[in-house]
């Protein structure tokens, strides 16, 4: 297993809760340590530590926005520099491997999302609009940490689904190396609150993205709020 800062904090917490006052003389010095690691495996994704900064919710220091958690209307960071850096490297490395990736949609302000949602609701009715879009304040695009990505083909031809392209097939297995997760997974719609979106990637940093990818989780599961 990988030892992260969080792992260490939880192990420390368990040690404190267990009332460890220091090592007891023992012929088996490692037995207590092994027990602690087993306990950690069970609770690994179930200890959400919430914090709030200016109306933005973080869980274990990762920004969360979904149907339940929203961003304030004036939260307007634009695309975060580390996200631009990460997708630039992803697109360059894709090109070097013979794949074509392109950014289809980036930052979207609260007001932009309000317009998108109102337009959809006007055309489809609010119930149907809700299936494919999120109300203003609830879009991850407002966080500055998410982008929609496409292949050159899918971006220029509405009949081509990015999820069916070789470009996506390559991207889905390497995105975590750049700190991205495919945010809205097939079969996890009732947890994420949105349908499968192979094109929507969210930056969470390489360490969290790798854990989420390897354990086949969505962000809500990883943060213990599913
Ligand atoms: Zn998106």
């Amino acid at each position: 297993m990988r030892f992260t800062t969080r792992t260490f904090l939880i192990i420390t917490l368990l040690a404190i809760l267990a009332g460890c006052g220091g090592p007891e003389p023992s012929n088996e010095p490692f037995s207590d340590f092994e027990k602690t690691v087993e306990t950690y495996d069970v609770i690994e994704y179930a200890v959400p530590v919430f914090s709030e900064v200016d109306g933005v919710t973080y869980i274990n220091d990762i920004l969360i926005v979904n149907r339940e958690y929203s961003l304030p209307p004036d939260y307007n960071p634009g695309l975060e520099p580390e996200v631009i850096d990460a997708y630039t490297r992803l697109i360059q490395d894709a090109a070097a491997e013979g794949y074509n990736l392109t950014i289809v949609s980036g930052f979207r302000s609260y007001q932009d999302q309000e317009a998108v949602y109102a337009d959809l609701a006007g055309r489809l009715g609010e119930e149907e609009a809700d299936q494919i879009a999120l109300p203003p304040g609830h879009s991850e695009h407002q966080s500055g940490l998410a982008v929609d990505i496409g292949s050159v083909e899918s971006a220029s031809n509405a009949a081509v689904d990015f999820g069916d392209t070789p470009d996506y097939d390559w991207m889905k297995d390497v995105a975590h190396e750049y700190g991205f997760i495919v945010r809205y997974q097939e079969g996890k719609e009732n947890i994420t609150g949105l349908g499968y979106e192979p094109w929507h990637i969210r930056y969470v940093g390489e360490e969290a993205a790798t854990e989420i990818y390897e354990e086949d989780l969505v962000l809500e599961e990883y943060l213990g709020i599913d």
Side-chain angles (χ1 to χ4, degrees):
M1 73 183 288
R2 293 156 52 85
F3 276 82
T4 62
T5 309
R6 191 157 50 93
T7 315
F8 178 73
L9 287 173
I10 290 168
I11 288 171
T12 307
L13 181 64
L14 288 170
I16 293 164
L17 289 173
C20 292
E24 298 283 331
S26 167
N27 293 330
E28 299 173 82
F30 297 112
S31 60
D32 282 346
F33 177 71
E34 281 166 14
K35 241 181 268 171
T36 307
V37 170
E38 274 173 27
T39 310
Y40 167 74
D41 277 345
V42 173
I43 62 165
E44 186 167 10
Y45 300 111
V47 193
V49 178
F50 288 79
S51 56
E52 203 194 294
V53 181
D54 297 332
V56 180
T57 306
Y58 297 82
I59 301 174
N60 303 340
D61 295 328
I62 292 179
L63 183 151
I64 181 78
V65 52
N66 59 16
R67 272 193 202 281
E68 192 177 349
Y69 297 96
S70 63
L71 298 169
D74 62 353
Y75 190 71
N76 204 22
L79 271 181
E80 298 287 0
E82 71 266 32
V83 179
I84 296 172
D85 174 65
Y87 77 60
T88 302
R89 285 186 292 113
L90 174 64
I91 289 172
Q92 281 170 354
D93 291 351
E97 297 283 331
Y99 299 101
N100 277 300
L101 297 177
T102 182
I103 298 298
V104 175
S105 180
F107 179 75
R108 210 180 293 152
S109 70
Y110 183 99
Q111 291 72 24
D112 293 338
Q113 185 69 13
E114 201 166 36
V116 168
Y117 186 80
D119 175 58
L120 278 173
R123 287 190 285 127
L124 306 172
E126 204 160 298
E127 205 173 309
E128 209 168 315
D130 251 345
Q131 312 267 324
I132 53 174
L134 292 161
H138 293 266
S139 170
E140 209 168 53
H141 286 275
Q142 194 193 333
S143 72
L145 299 170
V147 294
D148 291 341
I149 210 150
S151 68
V152 170
E153 203 189 357
S154 73
S156 58
N157 181 351
V160 177
D161 184 338
F162 178 56
D164 295 333
T165 64
D167 312 88
Y168 170 72
D169 209 47
W170 176 83
M171 187 204 75
K172 72 177 180 5
D173 292 321
V174 298
H176 62 279
E177 294 169 17
Y178 302 84
F180 288 108
I181 55 170
V182 178
R183 177 73 174 86
Y184 306 112
Q185 292 282 358
E186 205 163 15
K188 302 277 179 89
E189 294 87 349
N190 58 340
I191 301 172
T192 61
L194 267 190
Y196 176 46
E197 291 193 359
W199 57 85
H200 181 108
I201 58 174
R202 156 73 195 269
Y203 186 82
V204 291
E206 204 179 320
E207 187 180 298
T210 300
E211 278 189 67
I212 289 168
Y213 170 76
E214 286 177 353
E215 306 283 335
D216 199 18
L217 303 169
V218 289
L219 189 56
E220 283 80 2
E221 293 173 304
Y222 178 71
L223 297 177
I225 54 162
D226 54 304

